[in-house]
Amino acid sequence: MNSIIHLQLWQMLSAYLFVLILIFIVKLKGIPREKEIFISSIRMTIQLILTGYLLVYLFNTPSPVYTIIILIAMLVFSIYNIIKRAKRNLSLKLKQIIALSMCIGTVSCLFYFLLIVVRITPWYDPRYFIPIAGMLIGNSMTGISLGVSRLVDGMHTHKDFVEGALMLGATPKMAAKQIVDNAFDSAILPTINSMVGMGIVFLPGMMTGQILSGTSPITAIEYQIAIMLGILGSVSLTIIIFVQLGYKTFFNNQSQLIIGE
Amino acid sequence: MFSLKKVKYKHILDIDNLNIKKHKVTCIVGESGSGKSTLLRLLNKLISCDSGEIYYENQLLNTIDSVELRRKVSMLPQLPVIFPGTVRDNLLIGLKFAEKLPVGDEKLHYILNLVHLNKKLDEDSQMLSGGEKQRLALGRLILLDPEVFLLDEPSSALDEETESIIIEKLVAYTKESNKTLIMVTHSKKVAHTYSENIIEINKGKVVNFKEV
């Protein structure tokens, strides 16, 4: 195995040429996006540098307290992000259900993955715990975001169908079934699609990272397969909990559809 | 069958006292926006009144399970809801919703004939015209065999001739099978020709109750 090429400062800086080219092009075309490109490049740089140093610190002083704090921070950030991204106003109850499904869905899969599949010791080893938690939470966040918008949109745009079914004596569960199924489907689809293209269309980030850092591709692939299955489990569990509890927030205890006008 | 006492719903309805009789054809008339549809929705328990009491067969509506009630007192909305699929799918979906056993094609043909809809069961229901969809939705409701039919302008998309045929058949069917029919209509002719009771609503209040 060749030794890893460490990037020198000037090599890093030369990579920013891509940003300069992009800024040059948008200037030339008169597209007013220079500011966003500039800010996002700076943010990306600073955030990653800080995360790098934070991770170095955490890896050198492993502690269950730090690991749990990081896990909680990731969860809080992801839940905040899901709620912020939703285009419609969400009811308080629905927000609580988003938080609940994210916590149960990701944490249970995370511990199963770390303790049963990878079998890390100690259980809080940040080198494994943090990146894997990040991947499960990140993917579940993307999935549930899609699920939330499909569910809420569906309830609003297909209000007639839901009420039409209720009028004939359908239970709320039956009346909402089509919308719930749709929401589940659209939330899970990106994960399934990415599994289909994996290894052919693109090499996933984690695997690429491991290979670049000198790990044998076979080991990297073993990890990638396991983590993909972990992601699939985490995303589907999160979504299932969300849709099963979520649709109920649109009905009251008299089986009436309640949608804020 | 239904009795309403001091019922208020938002600023839409304010009904002091109203009785709707069993086994009768009752028409609700009034200008648009007067609260006719809201009244039907209250009886179907799709919404609940803010104050006052509604009784169905001497039982307070709030104490009856909504889903169970709606299986006995079923409603046809003003804009018919047509689900993706064939005519057959749309007829059968009501039975599925109400958790009743599916029926054979013979019965479905009988229903189509009853609502005067000359279509094949395998036809795509999205291709139907507005009036045909309305009749299909009506057929679906009749198939459910509820005790009370709540119909919100069941003939609004029909021409006058078809309207007469449908309403006449519907009234005859209601009488034969001992059902109760409560319908909102804009047509004075329908109200006066077929109904036994007429409730006139204006600005949320019952202004006239007539036995014909």
Side-chain angles (χ1 to χ4, degrees), chain A residues 122-190:
Chain A
W123 64 267
Y124 53 84
D125 186 357
R127 187 177 294 275
Y128 290 89
F129 198 108
I130 293 171
I132 289 172
M135 279 189 279
L136 296 190
I137 294 173
N139 281 283
S140 301
M141 177 178 86
T142 312
I144 206 172
S145 284
L146 289 166
V148 169
S149 73
R150 274 301 172 93
L151 184 72
V152 180
D153 274 350
M155 283 292 180
H156 280 89
T157 50
H158 297 304
K159 197 178 159 204
D160 301 355
F161 283 72
V162 179
E163 282 202 327
L166 288 179
M167 283 175 193
L168 301 175
T171 59
K173 189 178 180 168
M174 286 188 241
K177 185 174 185 298
Q178 198 67 41
I179 296 169
V180 167
D181 289 355
N182 248 325
F184 180 78
D185 204 40
S186 64
I188 204 83
L189 213 59

Side-chain angles (χ1 to χ4, degrees), chain B residues 64-129:
Chain B
I64 310 175
D65 179 74
S66 306
V67 172
E68 239 167 75
L69 176 86
R70 292 180 198 135
R71 287 176 186 177
K72 289 184 209 147
V73 183
S74 306
M75 174 167 168
L76 180 76
Q78 195 171 358
L79 283 174
V81 176
I82 298 298
F83 297 88
T86 60
V87 168
R88 183 190 283 106
D89 296 337
N90 266 283
L91 287 171
L92 291 177
I93 202 168
L95 294 168
K96 207 174 108 196
F97 285 146
E99 292 178 302
K100 288 177 179 162
L101 292 174
V103 296
D105 284 0
E106 208 174 307
K107 175 89 190 202
L108 298 183
H109 282 124
Y110 165 76
I111 294 285
L112 286 185
N113 184 40
L114 189 67
V115 294
H116 211 63
L117 186 61
N118 188 17
K119 291 284 165 189
K120 292 202 176 66
L121 288 171
D122 288 318
E123 206 154 322
D124 182 5
S125 52
Q126 300 300 325
M127 303 304 283
L128 302 181
S129 72

Side-chain angles (χ1 to χ4, degrees), chain B residues 1-201:
Chain B
M1 164 156 269
F2 276 108
S3 81
L4 288 79
K5 292 194 170 64
K6 299 206 183 314
V7 168
K8 279 191 185 179
Y9 180 77
K10 292 187 179 164
H11 292 294
I12 302 171
L13 271 188
D14 182 359
I15 295 175
D16 211 36
N17 189 23
L18 179 68
N19 287 296
I20 299 173
K21 291 192 187 106
K22 201 170 181 170
H23 302 325
K24 298 274 179 199
V25 176
T26 303
C27 277
I28 304 169
V29 296
E31 282 171 29
S32 43
S34 57
K36 306 185 296 285
S37 300
T38 307
L39 177 57
L40 284 195
R41 288 165 71 88
L42 279 172
L43 300 181
N44 184 246
K45 216 181 157 192
L46 213 52
I47 48 175
S48 292
C49 49
D50 299 325
S51 65
E53 286 154 355
I54 303 176
Y55 294 89
Y56 171 68
E57 308 257 61
N58 298 322
Q59 214 184 336
L60 199 59
L61 218 55
N62 278 345
T63 62
I64 310 175
D65 179 74
S66 306
V67 172
E68 239 167 75
L69 176 86
R70 292 180 198 135
R71 287 176 186 177
K72 289 184 209 147
V73 183
S74 306
M75 174 167 168
L76 180 76
Q78 195 171 358
L79 283 174
V81 176
I82 298 298
F83 297 88
T86 60
V87 168
R88 183 190 283 106
D89 296 337
N90 266 283
L91 287 171
L92 291 177
I93 202 168
L95 294 168
K96 207 174 108 196
F97 285 146
E99 292 178 302
K100 288 177 179 162
L101 292 174
V103 296
D105 284 0
E106 208 174 307
K107 175 89 190 202
L108 298 183
H109 282 124
Y110 165 76
I111 294 285
L112 286 185
N113 184 40
L114 189 67
V115 294
H116 211 63
L117 186 61
N118 188 17
K119 291 284 165 189
K120 292 202 176 66
L121 288 171
D122 288 318
E123 206 154 322
D124 182 5
S125 52
Q126 300 300 325
M127 303 304 283
L128 302 181
S129 72
E132 289 167 341
K133 283 180 180 171
Q134 200 166 35
R135 280 174 280 160
L136 177 57
L138 182 63
R140 173 168 60 208
L141 186 69
I142 295 172
L143 194 56
L144 289 179
D145 198 34
E147 290 170 20
V148 182
F149 291 102
L150 301 173
L151 311 179
D152 195 351
E153 305 234 10
S155 56
S156 60
L158 307 180
D159 57 78
E160 218 167 298
E161 194 188 337
T162 319
E163 179 180 55
S164 309
I165 297 172
I166 297 288
I167 302 287
E168 200 167 313
K169 280 190 169 183
L170 195 61
V171 169
Y173 175 83
T174 318
K175 289 287 158 196
E176 268 167 39
S177 35
N178 265 329
K179 306 284 181 191
T180 306
L181 178 62
I182 303 171
M183 80 180 145
V184 167
T185 179
H186 63 283
S187 155
K188 287 219 163 80
K189 195 180 139 212
V190 167
H192 286 98
T193 319
Y194 300 104
S195 57
E196 291 155 284
N197 295 304
I198 299 178
I199 299 167
E200 193 181 338
I201 296 186

Side-chain angles (χ1 to χ4, degrees), chain A residues 46-183:
Chain A
I46 295 175
Q47 284 168 5
L48 285 183
I49 290 174
L50 290 179
T51 309
Y53 280 106
L54 181 68
L55 287 179
V56 168
Y57 176 75
L58 289 170
F59 289 178
N60 289 335
T61 47
S63 133
V65 179
Y66 287 157
T67 302
I68 293 295
I69 290 176
I70 296 280
L71 176 65
I72 292 171
M74 283 198 274
L75 278 171
V76 169
F77 179 76
S78 66
I79 292 163
Y80 171 76
N81 223 347
I82 295 161
I83 292 170
K84 216 183 81 182
R85 256 198 257 172
K87 275 180 237 121
R88 292 183 194 262
N89 277 340
L90 307 177
S91 66
L92 177 66
K93 245 178 151 178
L94 198 64
K95 288 179 190 167
Q96 288 168 344
I97 283 166
I98 292 172
L100 181 79
S101 35
M102 273 303 280
C103 291
I104 296 179
T106 58
V107 172
S108 59
C109 285
L110 176 65
F111 277 97
Y112 175 81
F113 192 80
L114 291 176
L115 303 182
I116 313 278
V117 179
V118 189
R119 292 176 186 274
I120 60 167
T121 43
W123 64 267
Y124 53 84
D125 186 357
R127 187 177 294 275
Y128 290 89
F129 198 108
I130 293 171
I132 289 172
M135 279 189 279
L136 296 190
I137 294 173
N139 281 283
S140 301
M141 177 178 86
T142 312
I144 206 172
S145 284
L146 289 166
V148 169
S149 73
R150 274 301 172 93
L151 184 72
V152 180
D153 274 350
M155 283 292 180
H156 280 89
T157 50
H158 297 304
K159 197 178 159 204
D160 301 355
F161 283 72
V162 179
E163 282 202 327
L166 288 179
M167 283 175 193
L168 301 175
T171 59
K173 189 178 180 168
M174 286 188 241
K177 185 174 185 298
Q178 198 67 41
I179 296 169
V180 167
D181 289 355
N182 248 325

